[in-house]
Amino acid sequence: MSGVGYKQWEKISKALKSRAEAIRKALDAYNELALLMTPPRQTLTFNQALEMVTIADFDLLKDTQNNVAEMVWAKEEHHEAMRLHFQIH
């Protein structure tokens, strides 16, 4: 998490710790389904998922039926609004 200020790192760390069980359950569900797909998709470890800091790192979303790039939350202007709201530079 280089380039992230200490306060932001602390917030991210606390959020991940409080949501670790939910992240693990979602990851387990993804890994089960990934193996059932044709062709099978890449499975992920918990550490690999945590290293994916931005949504751009989730290449697995490119294989979905819906175009993720067209979703409201994927628009650049909404990213900028979130950065301003959370004071992330």
Side-chain angles (χ1 to χ4, degrees):
M1 292 174 59
S2 63
V4 176
Y6 183 75
K7 286 185 180 182
Q8 280 85 21
W9 180 86
E10 262 188 336
K11 287 180 183 180
I12 293 168
S13 177
K14 285 180 184 178
L16 287 174
K17 285 178 185 173
S18 68
R19 293 168 179 83
E21 187 60 30
I23 294 169
R24 284 187 197 280
K25 286 181 182 180
L27 186 58
D28 289 343
Y30 166 77
N31 284 335
E32 286 179 25
L33 294 173
L35 294 174
L36 297 175
M37 298 186 80
T38 306
R41 302 296 193 259
Q42 173 190 358
T43 59
L44 298 171
T45 65
F46 186 74
N47 287 336
Q48 287 173 318
L50 294 182
E51 288 174 5
M52 297 176 177
V53 177
T54 65
I55 195 70
D57 290 335
F58 281 94
D59 290 338
L60 58 100
L61 293 176
K62 294 178 184 174
D63 293 329
T64 63
Q65 290 179 345
N66 300 322
N67 186 351
V68 177
E70 293 178 4
M71 302 300 252
V72 173
W73 50 264
K75 304 268 186 248
E76 182 58 37
E77 56 270 18
H78 296 149
H79 290 193
E80 183 61 27
M82 287 188 300
R83 279 191 287 272
L84 291 172
H85 176 74
F86 293 109
Q87 300 174 355
I88 300 171
H89 300 284

